[in-house]
Amino acid sequence: MSQAKGLNLTLKIWRQQNAKSKGKIETYQIENISPDSSFLEMLDILNTELIDKGEIPVEFDHDCREGICGSCSLYINGEPHGPGKRITTCQLHMRSFKDGDTIYIEPWRAAAFPIVKDLIVDRSAFDRIQHAGGYISVNTSGNTVDANATPIDKHDADEAFNSATCIGCGACVAACKNASASLFVSAKISQYALLPQGQVEAKDRVLNMVKQAEKEGFGPCSNTGACEVECPKGISLENIARMNREFLAASIS
Amino acid sequence: MSESKGLIKSHLVKKYWMAFTGLFLCLFLVGHLAGNLQLFIPGYSGQLQFNEYAVFMTTNPLIKIMSYVTYFSILFHAVDGLVISIANKKARPEKYAYSKPGNNSIWSSRNMGILGTVILVYIVIHMQNFWYKFKFGTPPHMTAEDGVSPLLQDGTAVKGGIVENGEVMLNGENMGAVMGDLYTIVLESFQNPIIVAFYVLGMIAIGFHLVHGFQSGFQSLGLRNKKYTPIVSKLGYAFAVIVPLLFALIPIYMFIAA
């Protein structure tokens, strides 16, 4: 079996020592990368080389490497999670690039996502938005009712599940020209808004989560649709419209 | 337990107002276009009809109220847009070194602020060209077909009448306000190719603004569903092309026809 030719690449990577220091783009040459390796494996190879040379490796977020956890980020060649659609960075493979390519690798850029180091940003703003209302209150004192005892329209259940597939990676914020978190927030609101269990706290949920997102410093939504295109889970703009409706209704009632 | 009053200081509320005023201004465009299409009627009858329309538009109390609502909408839309643009920029203080926004969104959607600024400049110059000249200048007056007798605002010709300070005088008696000749002001303005080009460019900016703005307004207000949104989307594109195109044809037609 003939082996595919290795790729020689120029990497332009954002290096930043810590949250306070000023970062800059550094250039690295990397050779003979297998087109079958994943993007993160390519970075692993780079880091091994850097460590061998006694240099500080490039820090980046990753965990499951299966496209589920939402840990990996990276703004690659002008797009969150790189050139592929409906994938996270860990699912991106080097066959998406050509020999001799220059690849820009940057962290998510948003006032609400401060850089921790190099390519790692602090996404705890998303946690605080969740805490503001992304839950339902269930009495668990021993007499919990089986969730399946409540009949739910199949269409609504499917829609709620679609919204719940959001992994909170932050690609929507990274893609948005205003670093708006509308797609994330609206998905988290929708997954409850569509279900009977979510109705009790629906009003407070939308008001508090939207308010928290703005407090964190995420921008307004310009309806460009960039988030929907770049979302690895294909979360629809439908969610944002639902959030806008719910917020309006909750505000005036 | 809800401590948050949504309607105060929220990005979303600013977007609701943006959508509401924007969609209202779309309605205004339809009305304004319907009136202006009368400029395509050739000859004296076209001139008379347009000037009668101008009298109606400047004297009808209901139109007066609507005109103030329109001015307010334009100003509110502009100021609200500016406030939103500042918030947009603030959310990403450090830009990407390399970005390919064209891969995930249309140019118009990312440049509504710039397009809006161009349109605002256009509106100011447009108002100065016609509205200001007609209202505060000394506009020419409309005459009967004989080209001499001035017309009153109700269309009555006053034989032997003379016009003084916008009033028709006959043998020292005031017969009433004269019908202004907005048609001629428009016709004369559009003999200048630079003004024609300026109007066409203004309409191109409005077209691009509407390509995104029309459907974005519905989305901001949460008016979206699987059945109607594709229709709204197509309607938005059609609106963004047809309305500015018809507007732009007016100066071109008047430049060529004269």
Short mmCIF file of all heavy atoms in Angstrom, two decimals, chain A residues 127-176:
data_model
loop_
_atom_site.label_atom_id
_atom_site.label_comp_id
_atom_site.label_asym_id
_atom_site.label_seq_id
_atom_site.Cartn_x
_atom_site.Cartn_y
_atom_site.Cartn_z
N ASP A 127 -20.94 28.93 31.27
CA ASP A 127 -21.43 28.26 32.49
C ASP A 127 -22.34 29.21 33.27
O ASP A 127 -23.38 28.81 33.76
CB ASP A 127 -20.26 27.83 33.39
CG ASP A 127 -19.36 26.82 32.68
OD1 ASP A 127 -19.85 26.16 31.75
OD2 ASP A 127 -18.18 26.71 33.06
N ARG A 128 -21.90 30.46 33.38
CA ARG A 128 -22.69 31.42 34.16
C ARG A 128 -24.03 31.71 33.49
O ARG A 128 -25.03 31.94 34.17
CB ARG A 128 -21.88 32.71 34.38
CG ARG A 128 -20.71 32.52 35.34
CD ARG A 128 -20.04 33.84 35.70
NE ARG A 128 -19.32 34.42 34.56
CZ ARG A 128 -18.06 34.10 34.23
NH1 ARG A 128 -17.38 33.22 34.93
NH2 ARG A 128 -17.48 34.68 33.20
N ILE A 129 -24.05 31.67 32.16
CA ILE A 129 -25.33 31.85 31.45
C ILE A 129 -26.24 30.66 31.76
O ILE A 129 -27.43 30.83 32.06
CB ILE A 129 -25.10 31.98 29.92
CG1 ILE A 129 -24.37 33.29 29.61
CG2 ILE A 129 -26.44 31.93 29.17
CD1 ILE A 129 -23.89 33.41 28.17
N GLN A 130 -25.68 29.46 31.74
CA GLN A 130 -26.46 28.26 32.09
C GLN A 130 -27.01 28.36 33.51
O GLN A 130 -28.18 28.07 33.75
CB GLN A 130 -25.58 27.00 31.98
CG GLN A 130 -25.39 26.49 30.57
CD GLN A 130 -26.61 25.73 30.08
OE1 GLN A 130 -27.72 26.23 30.11
NE2 GLN A 130 -26.42 24.50 29.64
N HIS A 131 -26.15 28.79 34.41
CA HIS A 131 -26.58 28.89 35.81
C HIS A 131 -27.72 29.89 35.99
O HIS A 131 -28.52 29.78 36.91
CB HIS A 131 -25.40 29.32 36.71
CG HIS A 131 -24.29 28.31 36.72
ND1 HIS A 131 -23.04 28.60 37.20
CD2 HIS A 131 -24.23 27.04 36.27
CE1 HIS A 131 -22.25 27.53 37.06
NE2 HIS A 131 -22.96 26.58 36.49
N ALA A 132 -27.78 30.87 35.08
CA ALA A 132 -28.81 31.92 35.21
C ALA A 132 -30.20 31.39 34.87
O ALA A 132 -31.20 32.07 35.14
CB ALA A 132 -28.46 33.11 34.31
N GLY A 133 -30.30 30.21 34.28
CA GLY A 133 -31.65 29.72 33.98
C GLY A 133 -31.71 28.46 33.14
O GLY A 133 -32.81 27.99 32.82
N GLY A 134 -30.58 27.90 32.79
CA GLY A 134 -30.56 26.73 31.91
C GLY A 134 -30.80 25.43 32.67
O GLY A 134 -29.97 24.53 32.64
N TYR A 135 -31.94 25.38 33.36
CA TYR A 135 -32.24 24.19 34.17
C TYR A 135 -33.74 24.14 34.41
O TYR A 135 -34.45 25.12 34.15
CB TYR A 135 -31.51 24.24 35.52
CG TYR A 135 -31.75 25.52 36.26
CD1 TYR A 135 -32.92 25.71 37.01
CD2 TYR A 135 -30.83 26.57 36.21
CE1 TYR A 135 -33.17 26.90 37.67
CE2 TYR A 135 -31.06 27.76 36.87
CZ TYR A 135 -32.23 27.93 37.59
OH TYR A 135 -32.48 29.11 38.24
N ILE A 136 -34.22 23.00 34.90
CA ILE A 136 -35.59 22.95 35.44
C ILE A 136 -35.49 22.49 36.89
O ILE A 136 -34.58 21.72 37.25
CB ILE A 136 -36.52 22.00 34.64
CG1 ILE A 136 -35.97 20.57 34.57
CG2 ILE A 136 -36.79 22.55 33.26
CD1 ILE A 136 -36.98 19.54 34.12
N SER A 137 -36.38 22.98 37.71
CA SER A 137 -36.37 22.59 39.13
C SER A 137 -37.27 21.37 39.31
O SER A 137 -38.46 21.44 39.02
CB SER A 137 -36.88 23.74 40.00
OG SER A 137 -36.09 24.88 39.76
N VAL A 138 -36.69 20.27 39.76
CA VAL A 138 -37.46 19.05 39.98
C VAL A 138 -37.28 18.62 41.42
O VAL A 138 -36.15 18.58 41.93
CB VAL A 138 -36.99 17.92 39.03
CG1 VAL A 138 -37.74 16.63 39.32
CG2 VAL A 138 -37.19 18.32 37.58
N ASN A 139 -38.38 18.33 42.07
CA ASN A 139 -38.32 17.86 43.45
C ASN A 139 -37.84 16.41 43.45
O ASN A 139 -38.49 15.53 42.90
CB ASN A 139 -39.72 17.97 44.07
CG ASN A 139 -39.69 17.71 45.54
OD1 ASN A 139 -38.73 17.12 46.06
ND2 ASN A 139 -40.73 18.12 46.24
N THR A 140 -36.70 16.16 44.04
CA THR A 140 -36.14 14.80 44.02
C THR A 140 -36.21 14.15 45.40
O THR A 140 -35.36 13.39 45.80
CB THR A 140 -34.67 14.83 43.54
OG1 THR A 140 -33.95 15.77 44.35
CG2 THR A 140 -34.56 15.24 42.10
N SER A 141 -37.27 14.47 46.14
CA SER A 141 -37.37 13.98 47.52
C SER A 141 -37.94 12.57 47.62
O SER A 141 -38.61 12.23 48.58
CB SER A 141 -38.23 14.95 48.34
OG SER A 141 -39.51 15.04 47.73
N GLY A 142 -37.73 11.78 46.60
CA GLY A 142 -38.14 10.39 46.71
C GLY A 142 -39.41 10.04 45.95
O GLY A 142 -39.72 8.88 45.75
N ASN A 143 -40.15 11.07 45.51
CA ASN A 143 -41.36 10.77 44.76
C ASN A 143 -41.31 11.36 43.35
O ASN A 143 -42.27 11.91 42.85
CB ASN A 143 -42.62 11.25 45.50
CG ASN A 143 -42.43 12.67 46.02
OD1 ASN A 143 -41.44 13.32 45.69
ND2 ASN A 143 -43.37 13.15 46.82
N THR A 144 -40.14 11.29 42.74
CA THR A 144 -39.94 11.83 41.40
C THR A 144 -40.83 11.10 40.39
O THR A 144 -40.91 9.88 40.41
CB THR A 144 -38.46 11.65 40.98
OG1 THR A 144 -37.64 11.98 42.08
CG2 THR A 144 -38.13 12.51 39.79
N VAL A 145 -41.48 11.88 39.54
CA VAL A 145 -42.33 11.29 38.51
C VAL A 145 -41.46 10.94 37.31
O VAL A 145 -40.57 11.70 36.93
CB VAL A 145 -43.44 12.29 38.10
CG1 VAL A 145 -44.34 11.68 37.03
CG2 VAL A 145 -44.26 12.69 39.31
N ASP A 146 -41.71 9.80 36.71
CA ASP A 146 -40.97 9.39 35.51
C ASP A 146 -41.21 10.44 34.41
O ASP A 146 -42.36 10.77 34.10
CB ASP A 146 -41.48 8.03 35.05
CG ASP A 146 -40.64 7.44 33.94
OD1 ASP A 146 -40.07 8.22 33.13
OD2 ASP A 146 -40.54 6.22 33.88
N ALA A 147 -40.13 10.95 33.84
CA ALA A 147 -40.26 11.98 32.80
C ALA A 147 -41.10 11.49 31.64
O ALA A 147 -41.84 12.27 31.02
CB ALA A 147 -38.88 12.40 32.32
N ASN A 148 -41.00 10.20 31.34
CA ASN A 148 -41.75 9.66 30.20
C ASN A 148 -43.24 9.54 30.46
O ASN A 148 -44.02 9.22 29.57
CB ASN A 148 -41.19 8.29 29.81
CG ASN A 148 -39.80 8.43 29.20
OD1 ASN A 148 -39.51 9.42 28.55
ND2 ASN A 148 -38.95 7.45 29.45
N ALA A 149 -43.65 9.82 31.71
CA ALA A 149 -45.09 9.76 32.03
C ALA A 149 -45.83 10.97 31.42
O ALA A 149 -47.04 10.95 31.28
CB ALA A 149 -45.29 9.74 33.54
N THR A 150 -45.05 12.01 31.09
CA THR A 150 -45.67 13.19 30.48
C THR A 150 -45.65 13.04 28.96
O THR A 150 -44.57 12.95 28.37
CB THR A 150 -44.88 14.47 30.86
OG1 THR A 150 -44.68 14.46 32.26
CG2 THR A 150 -45.62 15.72 30.43
N PRO A 151 -46.81 12.97 28.32
CA PRO A 151 -46.81 12.83 26.86
C PRO A 151 -46.31 14.11 26.19
O PRO A 151 -46.72 15.20 26.57
CB PRO A 151 -48.29 12.57 26.52
CG PRO A 151 -49.06 12.75 27.76
CD PRO A 151 -48.16 13.11 28.87
N ILE A 152 -45.42 13.94 25.22
CA ILE A 152 -44.87 15.09 24.50
C ILE A 152 -44.99 14.84 23.00
O ILE A 152 -44.67 13.75 22.52
CB ILE A 152 -43.39 15.32 24.88
CG1 ILE A 152 -43.26 15.64 26.37
CG2 ILE A 152 -42.78 16.46 24.06
CD1 ILE A 152 -41.86 15.57 26.89
N ASP A 153 -45.46 15.83 22.29
CA ASP A 153 -45.56 15.78 20.84
C ASP A 153 -44.19 15.39 20.26
O ASP A 153 -43.17 15.96 20.63
CB ASP A 153 -45.99 17.17 20.35
CG ASP A 153 -46.17 17.22 18.86
OD1 ASP A 153 -45.15 17.27 18.15
OD2 ASP A 153 -47.33 17.18 18.41
N LYS A 154 -44.20 14.43 19.34
CA LYS A 154 -42.94 13.92 18.77
C LYS A 154 -42.13 15.04 18.11
O LYS A 154 -40.91 15.13 18.26
CB LYS A 154 -43.28 12.84 17.74
CG LYS A 154 -42.11 12.34 16.91
CD LYS A 154 -41.27 11.33 17.67
CE LYS A 154 -40.29 10.62 16.75
NZ LYS A 154 -38.94 11.12 16.90
N HIS A 155 -42.85 15.92 17.39
CA HIS A 155 -42.18 17.03 16.70
C HIS A 155 -41.46 17.93 17.72
O HIS A 155 -40.29 18.29 17.53
CB HIS A 155 -43.21 17.82 15.90
CG HIS A 155 -42.67 19.09 15.33
ND1 HIS A 155 -41.91 19.11 14.17
CD2 HIS A 155 -42.76 20.37 15.76
CE1 HIS A 155 -41.56 20.36 13.92
NE2 HIS A 155 -42.06 21.13 14.86
N ASP A 156 -42.16 18.29 18.79
CA ASP A 156 -41.56 19.14 19.83
C ASP A 156 -40.38 18.45 20.50
O ASP A 156 -39.35 19.08 20.77
CB ASP A 156 -42.61 19.49 20.91
CG ASP A 156 -43.64 20.48 20.38
OD1 ASP A 156 -43.37 21.12 19.35
OD2 ASP A 156 -44.71 20.59 21.00
N ALA A 157 -40.55 17.16 20.76
CA ALA A 157 -39.46 16.40 21.39
C ALA A 157 -38.22 16.41 20.51
O ALA A 157 -37.10 16.60 20.98
CB ALA A 157 -39.92 14.98 21.68
N ASP A 158 -38.43 16.20 19.20
CA ASP A 158 -37.30 16.20 18.26
C ASP A 158 -36.62 17.56 18.21
O ASP A 158 -35.39 17.67 18.21
CB ASP A 158 -37.78 15.82 16.84
CG ASP A 158 -38.11 14.34 16.73
OD1 ASP A 158 -37.77 13.59 17.68
OD2 ASP A 158 -38.69 13.93 15.71
N GLU A 159 -37.46 18.61 18.15
CA GLU A 159 -36.91 19.97 18.09
C GLU A 159 -36.11 20.27 19.35
O GLU A 159 -35.03 20.85 19.29
CB GLU A 159 -38.03 20.99 17.94
CG GLU A 159 -38.56 21.11 16.52
CD GLU A 159 -37.54 21.68 15.56
OE1 GLU A 159 -37.03 22.78 15.82
OE2 GLU A 159 -37.21 21.01 14.55
N ALA A 160 -36.66 19.91 20.50
CA ALA A 160 -35.96 20.13 21.77
C ALA A 160 -34.64 19.39 21.78
O ALA A 160 -33.61 19.90 22.22
CB ALA A 160 -36.84 19.68 22.94
N PHE A 161 -34.67 18.16 21.23
CA PHE A 161 -33.43 17.38 21.21
C PHE A 161 -32.40 18.03 20.28
O PHE A 161 -31.22 18.10 20.61
CB PHE A 161 -33.71 15.94 20.76
CG PHE A 161 -32.51 15.05 20.94
CD1 PHE A 161 -32.19 14.54 22.21
CD2 PHE A 161 -31.67 14.76 19.88
CE1 PHE A 161 -31.07 13.77 22.39
CE2 PHE A 161 -30.54 13.98 20.06
CZ PHE A 161 -30.24 13.47 21.32
N ASN A 162 -32.87 18.52 19.13
CA ASN A 162 -31.95 19.22 18.21
C ASN A 162 -31.27 20.38 18.91
O ASN A 162 -30.07 20.60 18.75
CB ASN A 162 -32.72 19.73 16.98
CG ASN A 162 -33.08 18.62 16.03
OD1 ASN A 162 -32.54 17.52 16.11
ND2 ASN A 162 -34.03 18.88 15.13
N SER A 163 -32.06 21.14 19.67
CA SER A 163 -31.48 22.28 20.39
C SER A 163 -30.49 21.80 21.44
O SER A 163 -29.45 22.41 21.67
CB SER A 163 -32.58 23.10 21.07
OG SER A 163 -33.51 23.54 20.12
N ALA A 164 -30.83 20.67 22.07
CA ALA A 164 -29.98 20.15 23.15
C ALA A 164 -28.67 19.56 22.65
O ALA A 164 -27.77 19.29 23.45
CB ALA A 164 -30.75 19.10 23.94
N THR A 165 -28.53 19.41 21.34
CA THR A 165 -27.26 18.87 20.82
C THR A 165 -26.13 19.90 20.88
O THR A 165 -24.97 19.57 20.63
CB THR A 165 -27.38 18.35 19.38
OG1 THR A 165 -27.85 19.41 18.55
CG2 THR A 165 -28.29 17.15 19.28
N CYS A 166 -26.46 21.14 21.22
CA CYS A 166 -25.42 22.18 21.38
C CYS A 166 -24.42 21.71 22.43
O CYS A 166 -24.78 21.36 23.53
CB CYS A 166 -26.05 23.50 21.80
SG CYS A 166 -24.88 24.72 22.43
N ILE A 167 -23.12 21.73 22.03
CA ILE A 167 -22.08 21.26 22.95
C ILE A 167 -21.38 22.42 23.66
O ILE A 167 -20.41 22.22 24.39
CB ILE A 167 -21.04 20.38 22.21
CG1 ILE A 167 -20.47 21.12 20.99
CG2 ILE A 167 -21.64 19.04 21.83
CD1 ILE A 167 -19.37 20.38 20.26
N GLY A 168 -21.86 23.64 23.39
CA GLY A 168 -21.30 24.80 24.09
C GLY A 168 -19.84 25.07 23.77
O GLY A 168 -19.08 25.50 24.63
N CYS A 169 -19.45 24.82 22.53
CA CYS A 169 -18.03 25.00 22.17
C CYS A 169 -17.65 26.46 21.98
O CYS A 169 -16.50 26.84 22.12
CB CYS A 169 -17.70 24.21 20.91
SG CYS A 169 -18.51 24.81 19.41
N GLY A 170 -18.66 27.29 21.61
CA GLY A 170 -18.39 28.71 21.41
C GLY A 170 -18.07 29.10 19.99
O GLY A 170 -17.71 30.26 19.72
N ALA A 171 -18.23 28.17 19.04
CA ALA A 171 -17.94 28.50 17.63
C ALA A 171 -18.86 29.61 17.13
O ALA A 171 -18.47 30.44 16.31
CB ALA A 171 -18.09 27.26 16.75
N CYS A 172 -20.10 29.64 17.65
CA CYS A 172 -21.06 30.69 17.24
C CYS A 172 -20.53 32.07 17.60
O CYS A 172 -20.59 33.00 16.81
CB CYS A 172 -22.44 30.44 17.87
SG CYS A 172 -22.42 30.05 19.63
N VAL A 173 -19.96 32.17 18.81
CA VAL A 173 -19.40 33.44 19.27
C VAL A 173 -18.19 33.81 18.41
O VAL A 173 -18.03 34.95 17.97
CB VAL A 173 -18.99 33.34 20.75
CG1 VAL A 173 -18.26 34.61 21.20
CG2 VAL A 173 -20.19 33.07 21.63
N ALA A 174 -17.36 32.78 18.14
CA ALA A 174 -16.14 33.02 17.36
C ALA A 174 -16.45 33.45 15.94
O ALA A 174 -15.76 34.29 15.36
CB ALA A 174 -15.29 31.75 17.34
N ALA A 175 -17.52 32.89 15.37
CA ALA A 175 -17.86 33.19 13.98
C ALA A 175 -18.54 34.55 13.85
O ALA A 175 -18.40 35.23 12.83
CB ALA A 175 -18.78 32.11 13.43
N CYS A 176 -19.30 34.93 14.86
CA CYS A 176 -20.12 36.15 14.79
C CYS A 176 -19.25 37.40 14.75
O CYS A 176 -18.32 37.53 15.54
CB CYS A 176 -21.05 36.22 15.99
SG CYS A 176 -22.03 37.73 16.04
#
